[in-house]
Each structure stands twice: as C-alpha cells, then as structure tokens.
Amino acid sequence: MTLTHNPGDGRTPLGPSPVSGTGTVPRIDVAQRTEPYTRTDPFDRPAAHEVAWTDPVTGARGWLVVHTLVGGLATGGTRMRSGCTRDEVADLARCMATKTAAFGLPVGGAKAGVDLDPRSPGALGVLERFFADLRPWLERSWVTAEDLGVAQSDLDVVFTRLGLDQSFHAAMLRSPDPAATLARVREGLAARDGDGLPLGDVIGGYGVAQACLGAAAALGSDPERTTVAIQGIGTMGGGAAWYLHEAGVRVTAIADAAGTLFHPRGLDIPALLAARDHYGEIDRATVPADVEVLPRDAVLTVPVDILVPAAVSYALREESVADVSARVVVEAANSATTPAAEERLAVRGIPVVPDFVANAGAAAWAWWLLQGQVGTDPQDSFNRLRTEMRGKVAHMMDAWRTDHTVPRRSAWGFAAANLEALAGREITIP
C-alpha cells in the first residue's frame, strides 16, 4: 500500500554572474532596511473550522483544519505519518489557503492529517474510518487529494467504499451535470505528457521546475549555466528534477533518505529516477562510480545556484543557514524553511521563493481542470502553468532586486488581493 554584502546600498545585484561554485554569498546591510523583513502574514489568523478525531479501533488521532472557505468550499490534501500533529495540520491548512489565493483559485484552503505510520497494518481502514466520520465535510465543503503517506489510489479505494464518486465530490455537486463533469475530470487526470507520464503525477514538479527557471532568469543565468540541488526525489522533487534536466539545467545533487548523490557536471537524472523504489530511494547499486556519495544533509550546503528543499517541512532551520551556498532557495516542500531561517537567509542575500507559489502547480491545475479551463492536451496545461508561475516569480524577484522586499512578503500581497476579489463569489463548476 502506498500510504506512502554589498556595503554601499544593501542590495545584492542579480545580473549575470559566474557559474556557481565559489560558495560566496553577498550580505545585505539589514540595519539599513528592516521593514522588508517584517512578517505580516495576512493569512495568519484562526482557522474557520477545526475537527479533532480519534479512531475507535486503534486510538490513532487525526485532524481536519479548514482555514478558509471561499464560496463554501475548501481544498487540501490528507496526509498520514507517525508524529503528525494538530499544529502541523493547521500550519499546512494556512499554507493551502495562501496557495489557492496566490493563484486566484475560487476555493479556500484546508488540510487533514492522521498520526499513524502509513505502512502500519490496517492503515487503509483507519483512513476509511477517518473519512467516514468526516463525510459531511466531504459531501458539502471539503475537496481532498493525496499528500505525504497517502496516495491518490488509496483515496480512490476509500471513496469508492464510502459510496462517493471520488475526492472531488464536494466540487462536483456544484456542477449542473455532475456525471459529465466527473467524466471530463477523469479524462483530464488520465492525460499523459510527451514522455508518457501521467499529467496529474508530474504537473506539480513541472511547476517547481518553472519556478526554478524563473528564479534563474532573475539571476541572469541561462538554463545551461544553472546548477540545482534537490532534497527529496518523490513526486514533487523527482518531477522537478526531470523537467529541469529536460530544460538543460545541471542538477548536480539530489538527496533521498539514504544520502546525497553529487556530481559537479550534473547527474544522469533519468537513470537515477528510474532506479527509485516504491518509497523514493535510489538503488545505490545503479549509481555510477564517478558520482560522489555524501551525507544526507550535504544537499543543503553544496555550491549551486538554486537549492530546492522538496522533502520534509522545516528542513532549513536557523542553525543550518550559515552553511547554505545557494543563491536562491525554491521551496518545493510545504514550510521547508523556518521563519528564523528565512530571515537569516535574506540577511545573507539569499531570497526564498515560498512554497505556496512554487509548489502550487498541482493544486492550480486541478481547479483549472475542474473549471474546464484546461483539458486533455498536456501542452495547454504546461503553457498555462509556465506562464502563471514565471510571472509570479518574476514579480517577487523584481521586488527583491528593487528594494529587497522578501519574496514571501510580495507574494502575500497578491494573494491577499486575490482573496479579497473572491469574497462573496459563487462557485460554479461547468
């Protein structure tokens, strides 16, 4: 089962630069510019609704946090992992609300989580009982999806057992013809890209790759001169690695649970991805002899242009920032950087493209699909996501280059404006 220093004006030039590898990072004189570092998150407010749950059979605990409703709907995945907490779920729900608003999606943000090892016997039964007790939410207001420890196939099994069409059920009921809408959505979900990969599996990673390419453009770096390190090569990290490689970017380091693989001239990404097992670990027997095997956390410190934490939340903490050599961080994992770490990175001249923009590709695409804005032609989906992601990253990086407004703050600005514009809107699904 898958339940798997520029001392003069405090500015860092972002024009063309030599190929990375020196490990030198300009510093900002933060004493001159304190205002851009103030964290005034407009989404940092109490959740609209919260449900705590205890499994009557195993005692496992779970939570649903609905941070924001738009038109009576909220969307957000369901995760299952040992050690999952209410605070984690609440933080992710807030992030999801910010994510949907950043892309102007007509839906609020939510998240669910169960504190259980997804490999445990009976995990699917726990998930089924969790959803059974939350059925009123699933029928009326909450659209869920796969997340850490829970695959879409698991959701499909459980929703079938519960007599619900699938995890888009609450949105489908807004359609005048739910059966036709369901057929259209299923057709879109079954579409494959030019490499034969299911579009729904790779669109999120494609979005992260486009965020990286947008950041590289702001750095004045062509794809062929850009180096990237990726922590985590599951669905998101692996997809980002694939599309970056296709764009000509040198992915020089990738990390899985067993360690970091590094090659300064770039790794053979297709071969390494093909050697992953069910849990996203690379078979070390297939790794070429000229690839250096490093400790797992080394991926955070190798000299590259762009660092992509795509594995776990809070991978970049305050104590690890001094060793980061990248010129920009692109968050593929939710809450990959702690607030204190992000501030320290900004002081060092390293901007962080926030998760709620960089990893929002799958969420945005799902709602474009639901609304009939994209269909079965994968190129339409790629073009739409590339245009929106590049535009948002360019806006954030321009604000950073102009007055050192950190990317997260400028993204909060357009997300809040979008949410205000959505207030009172009735959601219809064609």
Side-chain angles (χ1 to χ4, degrees), residues 1 57 92 98 119 122 142 152 170 175 216 232 250 304 358 383 390 416 419 425:
M1 183 173 58
V57 178
L92 292 168
T98 316
R119 298 184 177 108
W142 175 38
Q152 186 62 44
S175 168
R250 284 184 293 143
V304 290
N383 290 343
R390 294 283 194 100
L419 186 61
R425 179 189 294 189

Side-chain angles (χ1 to χ4, degrees), residues 116-132:
L116 184 72
D117 186 338
R119 298 184 177 108
S120 299
L124 198 62
V126 173
L127 189 66
E128 183 176 348
R129 290 189 292 274
F130 180 63
F131 283 146

